[in-house]
Amino acid sequence: MLHGEVKKVQSWILQFCYTYWNFNTPAVGKSFPMLTRNSLSLLLWLFFDGGLLTPLQPQQPPQIPSLKQRENAIITMPGPRSAAQRVKRGWIWNQFFVLEEYMGSEPQYVGKLHSDVDKGAGSVKYTLLGDGAGTIFTIDDTTGDIHAIKSLDREEKPFYTLRAQAVNIVTGKPVESESEFIIKVQDINDNEPKFLDGPYVANVPEMSPVGAYVLQVKATDADDPTYGSSARVVYSILQGQPYFSIDPKTGVIRTALPNMDREVKEQYQVLIQAKDMGGQLGGLAGTTTVNITLTDVNDNPPRFPKSIFHLKVPEASPVGSPIGRIRAVDPDFGRNAEIEYSIVPGDGGNLFDIKTDDNTQEGIIFLRKPLDFETKKAYTFKVEAANVHLDHRFNSVGPFKDIATVKINVLDVDEPPVFSKPSYTMEVYEDTPTGTIIGAVTAQDLDIGTSPIRYSIDAQTDADNNFVVDANEGTVATNALLDRESAAQFNISIIASKVSNPQLASLVKIIINVLDINEFPPEVYLPYETTVCENAKPGQIIQIIGAVDRDMSPAGQIFSFRQPSDALANPNFTIHDYKNNTAGLQAQRHGYSHRQKELYLLPVVVEDSSYPIQSSTSTLTIRVCRCDSKGVVLSCNVEAIFLPVGLSTGALIAILLCIIILLVIVVLYVALRRQKKKDALMTSKEDIRDNVIHYDDEGGGEEDTQAFDIGALRNPKVIEDQNIRRDIKPEQLCLPRQKPPSEFNTDIRDFINERLQEHDADPNAPPYDSLATYAYEGTGSVAETLSSIESQSMEMDQEYDFLSDWGPHFKSLAEMFGKENYNLDKIT
C-alpha cells in the first residue's frame, strides 16, 4: 500500500517539474540546452524510482505491456527436484528499461541478475551475451548488476536482445540454463515534428465560399507514437489569418473569408506550425510555409477607359489597312480577359471593320471601302466590347460588355486625277484614214485646289504608235492604217497627270475594236454531199445549206439565198430561203432516175447584209441515188444500174461468197493434181537423192541430206554399186572419165527444167541462196558426169589439170586434186 502511494507522489512531482520547467523556458531556455531539461527529468526519475523513496519490500518495475512476462520474472531452474520440494523461479529481474539520451557521469543502471544458487559466497559468476553486450551493456559478474555505458537513441534502435547465464566460478560449468531477455530504450520527447514535403504551393479560385478546400499538410514526429504524447501532433496557423484556417488534427487548410478577390490580392503566404505533446506546454514544434495563389475567374466585365475615341484617317488610306486601335480594360487574366469587338450598326459602320488583337486584346479598326474627303469629311459609329468566355455564376454582377463611340475625321490628301470611267471601249473601221478621232477620255482633279490635266499614251501598250491622244483634250485618234485581218483589237493605256504635281498620275485601260469592212463575199456552206432519192416527191427538202463569210460579221448579219436572176426556171430543183441564214434545196418533180441522169447542177446566189453588199454564186452538184421506202440511201454508184431490181445487199454478199468458195476449190484441185504428178516421178526404189546446200560455212558434207527433201532424180543407166562417204577425203581416189551417154534422156531434162523454173518463180522457197546440183549431168555436158556410179575401171595416172579450165565453180576441186598423187596400193 505504501508502494502505491509513493508512486502517486512521484508522478505528481514529475508533472509539477515538467510544468514548471516549460513555463520558465523563456527565461532559462536560452542559457540551457534542451539536453539539460532531459537530464533533470532523468535525475528526478532516478531519485524517485531508483530507490531513495522506495519501500523495503521488493520493488515493482513500471508496467510496460510488451514486457509484462519479464517483470520480476523468476526463471525456473532446470534439473531434478524432490516431489515435496517447491519449484522456484531461477532468475529475478529488477529492470528491463533504459532511458534514451542519458547524459549522466556514471553508467546508467539497467537491472540486476540473481540466481537462487548464488548464496552470496561469490561462487557464481554472471555473464552477458547478445546485442551490445560488452560495448553498450556491462554486467557485474559477482552481483549481476547491469549498466549502460553509452547514451542510447531510441530512433536508432528501440530495443536490444541479450542472453544471461550463471556459471560456477570454480568449475566453469553453468549452474543455470541460458535465458534471453529484452532491454527496451524508453522514449523521451527529443524530436520535433517535421514537414517533409514543405514548403507547399496551393491554388484556390477567387470568390470561393468559406470553407473551400485549399491543401492538406502533414508533419512527421520521429518519437515513439505508442508511448505518451511525444508523437501526437497538433496543427495551427501562425501567419495567414483571418484568410485561412486549418484543422488541428488533419492539417487541412480551408478558406476563412468569403469573396476573396484576386484583383485585390493574389498571393498569400501562410505559416503553419505542428507541435507534439498534443500542443501542450513543453512540446516541440516545427513550422512550414504554404504559398497560396488565388486563381482568376471571370468576375469582371470589360470597360472602356473613355466613352469617345477620336481617330484621324487620310483619305488615301488603302482598303484593308488598319486605321486605328481602341482598347477595353478587363481586370481578369488569361482566357477570362479575352474580348471580342464588334461595330454596332449605324452611321458609317459599313465603311469600317474591327478585329481583336489576340496578343494585346485591342480592337483594330480596318478600312473596308475607300474614303473621299471631298464627299464626306467625318464618320461616327459605336463599338461594343464583350467577354468571350462567360461565367454564369456572376451574371448578377451585370452585363459583361461595354460600348464606346468612335469618331473618324477624314484628312484631305493631294490625290491623282480620277477618270470618269474605270475603262473605255472604242471602235474604228479598218482602213480608216490616219488622224481620224475615234473617241475621248476625261479625268478630273477632285482636290480643293483644282489643277489642269495632261494626257499621254503608255508607250509600253502602243509600241507601234497606232494611236495618238491629245494632251489637253484627251481625244484619241488613229496614227496608222488598221487592218482587221492583222489585228482585230488593241489594248492601250492612257495616263492622266496633274500639271501642278506630275508625280500624281492615274492610268485607264482602253479597248479599241477594229471593225470589218465588207470585203469578201459569202460562200455556200455544205455540211455533206447533196443527194436526191429516185422516189423523191415534189416539194420535198433534200438538203439544208448555209453560208460562211471571211469578214467578221457583226451581230445581226443576215445571209439570203436565191437562184440567179438570169437563169431559166429549173424544172427539177428550187431554193427555199428560211430567212435565218439557212436555205433548203427543194425537189420539183417525181421520177428521178439514176439510169437516165446521175447528176444535176443547181446554181445558188448568196448575199450578205453588210455595206457594201457582197454576193457570190455557187453551183451545187446533186447526185441521184437509190433509197429505201424511208428515204435511206442504198447506193449512188454507177454499178447499181445493172443490178436486178429488188436484189438486196445480203443477196449480193451471198453471191460473192459463193464465187470465192468456187475459186478456192479450183485452186486446191489444181494444186493436188500438180502434187500427184510430182510424186509419180519419185516412186521408184532406185531413186538417187542428192542435196547440196551452200551456206558459206562448213557443214556435214555431201552425206548431209536431211536439211531438205528434194525430189530424187531417176537415172536408169546408173546403178550404185557401193557407197563412198563424201564427208571425208579419200586416201586413194581414182576418178575415171565417163563417156557421155549416147541416148538422150529427155524426160529427165524436162523434169529438171520444170523444177528449176518452180524454184526460180517461188521467192519464198527456203533457202533463198540454195544451189541444188544433181549427180546426173545429162547429155551434152562439157564435163560429162562427175558421178562415180558408172565408173568401170581405175586409172593409175589421172590428171586433174583440166578442172582449172572449168571456171571458178571448180576452183576448190582443182586445188584438192591437182596437187596430190594417189597410189593405187592405198585404194581398197
Side-chain angles (χ1 to χ4, degrees):
M1 190 68 178
L2 180 60
H3 178 71
E5 295 297 332
V6 171
K7 285 293 184 180
K8 293 181 179 179
V9 172
Q10 292 176 357
S11 176
W12 182 85
I13 293 176
L14 285 172
Q15 182 68 30
F16 174 78
C17 291
Y18 271 110
T19 303
Y20 179 79
W21 186 267
N22 289 326
F23 180 77
N24 291 278
T25 298
V28 298
K30 295 181 180 180
S31 58
F32 293 92
M34 175 96 43
L35 187 59
T36 305
R37 181 169 51 184
N38 295 335
S39 300
L40 180 59
S41 301
L42 181 61
L43 180 60
L44 292 174
W45 182 85
L46 292 174
F47 177 77
F48 288 102
D49 200 42
L52 297 178
L53 296 178
T54 56
L56 298 176
Q57 63 263 28
Q59 174 185 353
Q60 298 292 333
Q63 300 294 321
I64 303 300
S66 63
L67 298 174
K68 284 185 178 181
Q69 295 181 356
R70 293 293 184 181
E71 295 175 0
N72 283 338
I74 299 176
I75 306 303
T76 304
M77 296 297 295
R81 297 180 184 273
S82 60
Q85 186 177 5
R86 182 173 64 88
V87 178
K88 296 183 179 180
R89 291 176 294 178
W91 292 97
I92 299 176
W93 306 89
N94 285 339
Q95 290 292 338
F96 296 92
F97 307 94
V98 60
L99 286 175
E100 70 169 335
E101 303 293 347
Y102 175 74
M103 301 300 295
S105 59
E106 297 294 333
Q108 183 180 183
Y109 179 75
V110 179
K112 183 180 181 63
L113 299 180
H114 182 72
S115 175
D116 293 342
V117 181
D118 188 4
K119 304 300 183 180
S123 60
V124 178
K125 179 180 179 181
Y126 299 95
T127 60
L128 191 64
L129 301 173
D131 293 342
T135 57
I136 298 177
F137 301 101
T138 60
I139 188 171
D140 190 325
D141 55 0
T142 302
T143 61
D145 291 332
I146 300 174
H147 291 82
I149 61 176
K150 289 185 177 180
S151 177
L152 303 179
D153 189 357
R154 188 199 67 83
E155 285 71 35
E156 293 182 1
K157 191 174 181 64
F159 63 89
Y160 296 85
T161 303
L162 296 97
R163 301 185 305 277
Q165 191 174 30
V167 299
N168 190 299
I169 195 172
V170 178
T171 63
K173 295 182 179 181
V175 296
E176 299 284 355
S177 59
E178 187 178 271
S179 180
E180 185 179 89
F181 64 95
I182 295 176
I183 298 177
K184 184 177 181 181
V185 181
Q186 189 174 2
D187 183 48
I188 64 174
N189 189 17
D190 60 340
N191 292 282
E192 72 277 4
K194 295 181 179 180
F195 294 92
L196 301 181
D197 298 330
Y200 298 86
V201 176
N203 297 320
V204 62
E206 64 172 333
M207 298 296 173
S208 296
V210 176
Y213 176 85
V214 178
L215 180 70
Q216 183 178 12
V217 297
K218 184 178 181 180
T220 302
D221 197 320
D223 292 330
D224 188 2
T226 63
Y227 181 76
S229 300
S230 299
R232 187 162 67 89
V233 179
V234 175
Y235 301 94
S236 60
I237 292 181
L238 301 182
Q239 177 184 333
Q241 294 177 341
Y243 304 105
F244 301 95
S245 63
I246 189 170
D247 190 300
K249 294 182 179 181
T250 62
V252 174
I253 302 174
R254 301 181 183 274
T255 57
L257 288 179
N259 300 328
M260 286 190 292
D261 194 356
R262 185 197 67 86
E263 288 73 32
V264 176
K265 186 176 182 181
E266 183 178 4
Q267 299 286 341
Y268 293 86
Q269 189 176 66
V270 180
L271 182 63
I272 304 297
Q273 174 184 268
K275 188 174 184 181
D276 59 12
M277 298 298 292
Q280 298 179 4
L281 293 176
L284 304 180
T287 60
T288 187
T289 57
V290 180
N291 295 314
I292 301 175
T293 302
L294 296 183
T295 58
D296 185 57
V297 297
N298 192 7
D299 58 337
N300 295 285
R303 292 288 181 264
F304 285 106
K306 53 185 179 180
S307 59
I308 300 178
F309 291 86
H310 294 275
L311 299 176
K312 295 181 179 180
V313 182
E315 63 172 339
S317 299
V319 175
S321 62
I323 60 175
R325 291 173 175 255
I326 61 175
R327 182 179 181 181
V329 179
D330 192 334
D332 293 325
F333 179 76
R335 68 190 304 269
N336 296 319
E338 293 182 3
I339 302 174
E340 182 179 8
Y341 296 89
S342 61
I343 295 178
V344 179
D347 181 26
N350 57 345
L351 271 71
F352 306 95
D353 194 7
I354 189 169
K355 296 181 181 178
T356 303
D357 189 334
D358 295 332
N359 297 324
T360 62
Q361 294 300 313
E362 292 178 320
I364 306 175
I365 300 176
F366 292 89
L367 187 62
R368 294 179 58 184
K369 296 181 181 181
L371 300 176
D372 187 8
F373 175 80
E374 288 72 23
T375 303
K376 192 171 183 178
K377 299 178 175 57
Y379 297 89
T380 302
F381 55 91
K382 294 183 179 181
V383 176
E384 180 182 86
N387 277 136
V388 178
H389 308 285
L390 299 179
D391 193 337
H392 299 289
R393 296 177 300 173
F394 304 101
N395 288 339
S396 60
V397 177
F400 282 76
K401 60 183 179 179
D402 195 13
I403 295 178
T405 301
V406 178
K407 291 187 176 182
I408 295 180
N409 294 322
V410 180
L411 301 179
D412 187 23
V413 176
D414 194 8
E415 298 175 305
V418 178
F419 284 94
S420 60
K421 295 181 181 180
S423 63
Y424 292 85
T425 301
M426 301 179 184
E427 295 179 347
V428 58
Y429 282 98
E430 61 179 338
D431 297 332
T432 299
T434 302
T436 303
I437 297 176
I438 61 176
V441 296
T442 303
Q444 296 180 358
D445 182 10
L446 301 180
D447 292 330
I448 296 177
T450 303
S451 172
I453 306 299
R454 293 292 180 265
Y455 302 95
S456 61
I457 294 180
D458 187 357
Q460 296 180 355
T461 61
D462 188 19
D464 296 332
N465 295 323
N466 293 315
F467 304 95
V468 294
V469 63
D470 188 276
N472 297 321
E473 302 297 331
T475 56
V476 180
T478 59
N479 195 36
L481 293 178
L482 306 178
D483 184 10
R484 189 200 66 82
E485 284 70 30
S486 300
Q489 188 180 80
F490 294 90
N491 293 317
I492 66 173
S493 297
I494 293 182
I495 301 173
S497 59
K498 286 185 175 183
V499 175
S500 59
N501 189 359
Q503 300 298 328
L504 296 177
S506 298
L507 185 143
V508 68
K509 293 185 178 297
I510 300 178
I511 299 175
I512 301 176
N513 296 318
V514 180
L515 302 180
D516 185 36
I517 295 179
N518 197 14
E519 299 175 292
F520 303 98
E523 298 176 357
V524 175
Y525 168 72
L526 287 175
Y528 48 85
E529 184 182 8
T530 304
T531 61
V532 61
C533 294
E534 289 181 332
N535 55 359
K537 299 178 181 180
Q540 180 180 347
I541 301 299
I542 63 173
Q543 177 75 48
I544 301 297
I545 62 175
V548 292
D549 194 343
R550 285 187 294 170
D551 293 318
M552 185 180 67
S553 301
Q557 176 76 6
I558 297 176
F559 298 104
S560 61
F561 303 86
R562 60 181 175 82
Q563 288 181 318
S565 58
D566 55 349
L568 299 177
N570 193 326
N572 299 311
F573 304 96
T574 185
I575 298 175
H576 180 68
D577 192 352
Y578 293 119
K579 306 300 183 181
N580 60 354
N581 293 341
T582 62
L585 301 184
Q586 182 176 339
Q588 290 287 94
R589 65 181 177 86
H590 286 287
Y592 296 94
S593 176
H594 194 132
R595 295 182 180 182
Q596 295 178 0
K597 190 173 184 179
E598 180 183 358
L599 300 175
Y600 291 90
L601 300 179
L602 179 64
V604 178
V605 177
V606 57
E607 295 180 350
D608 59 18
S609 60
S610 300
Y611 180 83
I613 295 176
Q614 298 286 350
S615 65
S616 66
T617 302
S618 301
T619 301
L620 303 182
T621 302
I622 304 173
R623 184 182 297 274
V624 179
C625 299
R626 291 181 56 256
C627 304
D628 59 9
S629 59
K630 296 182 180 180
V632 178
V633 176
L634 297 178
S635 176
C636 294
N637 298 327
V638 179
E639 291 78 4
I641 303 174
F642 303 100
L643 294 178
V645 179
L647 193 61
S648 63
T649 305
L652 293 176
I653 295 175
I655 294 173
L656 291 176
L657 289 177
C658 292
I659 294 173
I660 293 173
I661 293 173
L662 291 175
L663 291 176
V664 171
I665 292 174
V666 171
V667 172
L668 291 176
Y669 176 75
V670 173
L672 290 175
R673 289 295 300 273
R674 180 175 294 182
Q675 185 67 28
K676 288 180 179 181
K677 184 177 180 181
K678 293 179 181 179
D679 294 340
L681 299 175
M682 302 173 62
T683 56
S684 176
K685 296 182 180 179
E686 297 177 357
D687 292 343
I688 299 172
R689 301 192 178 189
D690 195 355
N691 183 14
V692 178
I693 309 300
H694 179 67
Y695 282 108
D696 289 340
D697 58 353
E698 185 175 358
E702 294 181 353
E703 293 297 331
D704 186 6
T705 60
Q706 303 300 321
F708 301 96
D709 186 9
I710 301 177
L713 300 177
R714 180 182 298 177
N715 189 354
K717 293 185 177 295
V718 178
I719 299 176
E720 187 176 2
D721 296 333
Q722 60 182 356
N723 294 328
I724 301 175
R725 294 190 60 182
R726 302 180 182 179
D727 58 344
I728 60 175
K729 183 177 181 180
E731 295 181 359
Q732 185 175 4
L733 181 62
C734 181
L735 299 173
R737 290 181 178 271
Q738 181 179 356
K739 296 180 180 180
S742 59
E743 62 271 17
F744 295 94
N745 296 318
T746 59
D747 55 346
I748 300 301
R749 183 174 62 252
D750 296 339
F751 175 74
I752 291 175
N753 292 330
E754 184 180 353
R755 295 298 297 273
L756 288 174
Q757 291 177 3
E758 289 180 0
H759 282 280
D760 292 340
D762 187 4
N764 296 324
Y768 309 121
D769 57 352
S770 297
L771 175 62
T773 61
Y774 305 94
Y776 182 74
E777 297 298 329
T779 59
S781 175
V782 177
E784 298 179 352
T785 177
L786 298 179
S787 177
S788 61
I789 296 176
E790 295 181 353
S791 298
Q792 301 296 331
S793 63
M794 297 290 188
E795 295 180 7
M796 291 295 295
D797 297 328
Q798 181 72 36
E799 295 181 359
Y800 301 98
D801 296 337
F802 62 88
L803 296 177
S804 301
D805 299 333
W806 288 1
H809 296 289
F810 297 91
K811 182 179 180 182
S812 298
L813 191 62
E815 291 176 356
M816 181 181 300
F817 294 99
K819 296 181 182 180
E820 295 184 7
N821 296 321
Y822 295 91
N823 192 353
L824 292 175
D825 296 335
K826 296 181 181 180
I827 301 176
T828 57

